[in-house]
Amino acid sequence: ERFKKKCHKYQLIILDEMGYVPFSKTGSELLFQLISDWYETKSIIITSNLEFSQWNKVFIDPRLTAALVDRLIHHAHIVSFTGESYRLKNALSNN
């Protein structure tokens, strides 16, 4: 509740590297609650190396994942980048 109140003052929430580490069942449910609270009231930016079809691996529960993705993409602008990783390319060029 304290975290929810703290986030209340922000209009933009950024969740970086979504899916880098899988969520526990409790963590998934808490994130779903937060995103449900923010739905249509805040702007949310999410970065991820995973396609939505792979999010079941991160959030475990397929129904929760579907509901989460549904809320996120409802009014979304999805930007997809393809090609080489800038970080990998930069690291290889420095060697």
Side-chain angles (χ1 to χ4, degrees), residues 59-74:
F59 297 107
I60 302 165
D61 182 344
R63 288 181 38 201
L64 181 138
T65 304
L68 180 70
V69 170
D70 184 60
R71 282 164 179 75
L72 290 173
I73 66 172
H74 182 220

Side-chain angles (χ1 to χ4, degrees), residues 7-85:
C7 290
H8 182 73
K9 63 183 173 183
Y10 300 112
Q11 293 180 353
L12 172 64
I13 306 292
I14 301 173
L15 304 174
D16 191 26
E17 296 286 349
M18 180 77 81
Y20 185 71
V21 176
F23 286 85
S24 66
K25 183 177 181 338
T26 303
S28 296
E29 291 168 353
L30 289 171
L31 182 62
F32 177 79
Q33 284 299 317
L34 287 171
I35 289 176
S36 292
D37 289 347
W38 300 336
Y39 176 62
E40 293 190 324
T41 64
K42 298 189 180 305
S43 296
I44 303 171
I45 295 175
I46 296 177
T47 67
S48 178
N49 289 332
L50 300 175
E51 297 176 6
F52 290 125
S53 62
Q54 297 175 319
W55 281 25
N56 280 336
K57 297 174 188 172
V58 177
F59 297 107
I60 302 165
D61 182 344
R63 288 181 38 201
L64 181 138
T65 304
L68 180 70
V69 170
D70 184 60
R71 282 164 179 75
L72 290 173
I73 66 172
H74 182 220
H75 296 294
H77 298 279
I78 299 172
V79 179
S80 180
F81 295 96
T82 58
E84 289 184 63
S85 163

